Amino acid sequence: MINKTGYDHGPPAADGSTDAEVIAESLAEPGRFGVLYTRHAEVLHGYAYRRLGREVAEDVVAETFLRAFRARRTYDHRHDDARPWLFAIAVREIARHHRVEQARYRTLLRSAHDRGEEELADRVADAASAQTWRKPLVEALAGLSRRDRDVLLMIAWADLTYEEVARALKIPVGTVRSRLHRARQQIRKSLPDELALELA
């Protein structure tokens, strides 16, 4: 089946192949690249959806896999897991939609019952009282620099490790830690005292 990225989604790898092996095999058999879509599209879509909304998220995922497919010859096969590589591409695509992301935060602040807000509060802060946390959390996220927000959300929403974020963003692990620390500190400062204590 041909999807928006323009290549055939082959069947999922039942042989336990690593992502790196699938990418290598796709050089001779392009349809194999569809295995990566099967494995990783859902988490990429969830991440992009939370940041940009449904319609733009679908475009971001399609463009991410199209760019990845075109760049597959450059993949570093020392890394079995392609998620950081795919997220690196997705983050660049998301950056192209900076205005959409900022508009989404404004929309979330206006909508008291938006499901995306509930996910935002639940996932970023692990808050039991999402109704109380919603507005200050969205405001805090909107106030972060793009670099700090990328690190925070890749860890909170994509469940990437520090090392995987470092690989995706091509920065040292120490920089990931410092950006994450700065983002958390800024979020704490933006929250009411009683909520900030729960993040400490």
Side-chain angles (χ1 to χ4, degrees):
M1 174 180 174
I2 303 295
N3 79 332
K4 287 176 73 174
T5 61
Y7 57 83
D8 184 2
H9 285 186
D15 56 6
S17 298
T18 66
D19 291 346
E21 290 168 341
V22 169
I23 293 168
E25 292 162 4
S26 77
L27 297 176
E29 187 184 346
R32 282 286 284 165
F33 197 81
V35 172
L36 292 189
Y37 187 94
T38 301
R39 289 178 178 176
H40 303 300
E42 185 175 350
V43 68
L44 283 165
H45 184 273
Y47 179 77
Y49 168 73
R50 289 182 179 115
R51 294 192 67 166
L52 300 172
R54 186 181 313 279
E55 184 177 338
V56 179
E58 291 174 1
D59 291 340
V60 165
V61 172
E63 190 64 24
T64 294
F65 279 96
L66 179 59
R67 289 181 181 276
F69 180 75
R70 289 173 176 167
R72 69 194 191 282
R73 292 184 185 279
T74 67
Y75 185 76
D76 184 346
H77 295 279
R78 294 174 297 176
H79 301 290
D80 288 338
D81 185 356
R83 280 187 318 147
W85 179 62
L86 292 170
F87 268 98
I89 298 169
V91 165
R92 288 194 294 273
E93 287 302 308
I94 288 169
R96 292 178 55 238
H97 297 279
H98 173 73
R99 290 180 182 175
V100 173
E101 184 173 24
Q102 292 302 314
R104 179 162 172 76
Y105 287 135
R106 290 192 294 273
T107 300
L108 290 175
L109 287 170
R110 287 193 301 266
S111 173
H113 303 291
D114 186 274
R115 176 62 185 160
E117 283 185 340
E118 293 173 10
E119 291 177 357
L120 181 71
D122 291 341
R123 295 289 294 167
V124 174
D126 196 26
S129 55
Q131 294 292 332
T132 303
W133 287 71
R134 183 177 296 134
K135 186 173 185 291
L137 273 175
V138 174
E139 289 176 338
L141 280 175
L144 293 176
S145 71
R146 182 176 58 80
R147 290 180 174 183
D148 291 352
R149 187 165 54 240
D150 283 346
V151 168
L152 175 68
L153 298 184
M154 289 177 82
I155 289 171
W157 287 343
D159 292 325
L160 295 181
T161 65
Y162 291 0
E163 290 76 15
E164 289 171 333
V165 172
R167 188 176 132 213
L169 299 179
K170 297 182 179 177
I171 57 177
V173 172
T175 302
V176 171
R177 294 181 188 279
S178 64
R179 288 183 186 177
L180 181 61
H181 176 75
R182 185 166 55 240
R184 286 174 170 162
Q185 290 293 105
Q186 187 168 336
I187 285 178
R188 288 188 188 108
K189 289 177 183 176
S190 302
L191 297 177
D193 290 343
E194 65 275 16
L195 299 183
L197 285 174
E198 294 188 42
L199 278 179

